[in-house]
Amino acid sequence: MGEKPFHARQMLKWVHKHGVLDFAGMTDFGKKLRTRLQKDYELSLPEIIGERLSADGTRKWLVRIDCGNAVEMVFIPDGERGTLCVSSQAGCALNCSFCSTAQQGFNRNLSAAEIIGQLWLADSLMPRREDGGRPITNVVMMGMGEPLLNFDAVTSAMDLMADALAWGMAKRRITLSTAGIVPKIYELRERCPVSLAVSLHAPDDALRSELVPVNKKYPIAELMQACRHYVQGLQRDRITFEYVMLDGINDSDAHAQALSRLLRDIPSKINLIPFNPFPHNSYKRSPQVRIDAFRGILLRAGFICITRTPRGDDIDAACGQLAGNVKPRSARVAARRGLLNT
Ligand code: SAH
């Protein structure tokens, strides 16, 4: 706009710290600037079109981003911590065989505004904490979509999350999860080194390519190299490796041993995710005794390994269950949806 830079800083504070979207309420702007803003500019939010509350306190919202598309975001309260799981794309192009978002195909990238708008909305919908603090203490880019395939918008939105004038979250409280877009992991390290989670799910290329097809393009050895590079110099940090527990597919003792060999020299934390079922999919969740045995092997090998408690699965808000409402874009997707509906 050709205005002074300090006005941008004031604007950041109004919108993200104080939650003010009406230019008239931005009282430290001169009258002339306020009038100009009101005449030529607009601050608007995506619209909430659905809300569900789980028995465990998890909340899921359906957020409309345009006439054909809606994405889901999820708030997960956990003691002192309040985590918001944010979507980065309408649909997803990666086609992982065990994920319900994949079934919809890909429609489009979200803009930085649509991504940060999710945080703004969720913050405004949740009560403040008893100490007056904001309800959301952590953000995970683990909703619908592959965040590293929408790199510019996702990193701009994460900049706002971390900016002291906006949300002021420590970068380690922001986690980006990726299926393994290797070149973008290197770029992220330079551009915005937040906590990194990698959806690994298998210790060898043959199995991983079946579960996470993008592995054919970026195989495990390259992915591990990128992970090693990512943590170098980030002393506080470990990479979180996500591993979905699929009955009879990737959950044997031999898989656990192979995983332990693979991650031996990477500062890591392993998150076992019991598979969350969804319609038109034949995988089953590994039995609890199997998950415990698998975890035991990793613990004995010296790893930090936790089993992620499924949260919000009664409202289809758990990992891999987010579907939103994605407008089919290609005939291929339309055909597949037609098939699924019959
Ligand atoms: N595309 C990114 C962000 C999604 S994060 C990524 O792949 O990391 C969502 C996490 O839930 C990923 O680790 C994903 O592999 C996992 N997931 C997907 N479907 C699942 C399911 N049905 N049950 C459990 N976890 C699932």
Side-chain angles (χ1 to χ4, degrees), residues 181-256:
I181 314 298
V182 166
K184 295 289 173 188
I185 294 178
Y186 289 95
E187 265 185 64
L188 185 69
R189 178 66 175 74
E190 297 309 309
R191 171 73 177 72
C192 189
V194 293
S195 295
L196 185 67
V198 170
S199 295
L200 189 56
H201 307 316
D204 63 83
D205 280 322
L207 180 56
R208 189 165 193 269
S209 294
E210 231 176 78
L211 301 175
V212 184
V214 77
N215 188 70
K216 290 178 212 145
K217 193 160 180 195
Y218 304 116
I220 292 179
E222 287 178 28
L223 179 56
M224 292 302 118
Q225 199 48 43
C227 290
R228 276 184 212 101
H229 174 268
Y230 197 89
V231 279
Q232 256 168 36
L234 291 185
Q235 272 151 14
R236 54 182 163 75
D237 246 338
R238 298 171 183 279
I239 308 259
T240 299
F241 289 98
E242 294 155 296
Y243 197 101
V244 64
M245 297 300 289
L246 301 167
D247 186 23
I249 305 282
N250 65 351
D251 63 350
S252 70
D253 287 357
H255 289 121

Side-chain angles (χ1 to χ4, degrees), residues 96-160:
C96 298
S97 60
F98 52 89
C99 179
S100 94
T101 306
Q103 294 194 336
Q104 331 186 289
F106 173 71
N107 190 279
R108 73 166 173 86
N109 280 331
L110 267 55
S111 67
E114 288 161 343
I115 297 168
I116 201 71
Q118 293 173 60
L119 177 55
W120 198 102
L121 274 171
D123 178 75
S124 72
L125 291 164
M126 305 288 305
R128 293 249 156 188
R129 314 178 146 253
E130 277 169 18
D131 62 5
R134 295 185 118 161
I136 296 157
T137 59
N138 295 59
V139 170
V140 293
M141 298 302 306
M142 293 191 186
M144 294 166 64
E146 168 49 52
L148 291 186
L149 290 180
N150 184 14
F151 191 85
D152 291 345
V154 165
T155 49
S156 298
M158 294 193 309
D159 281 345
L160 287 171

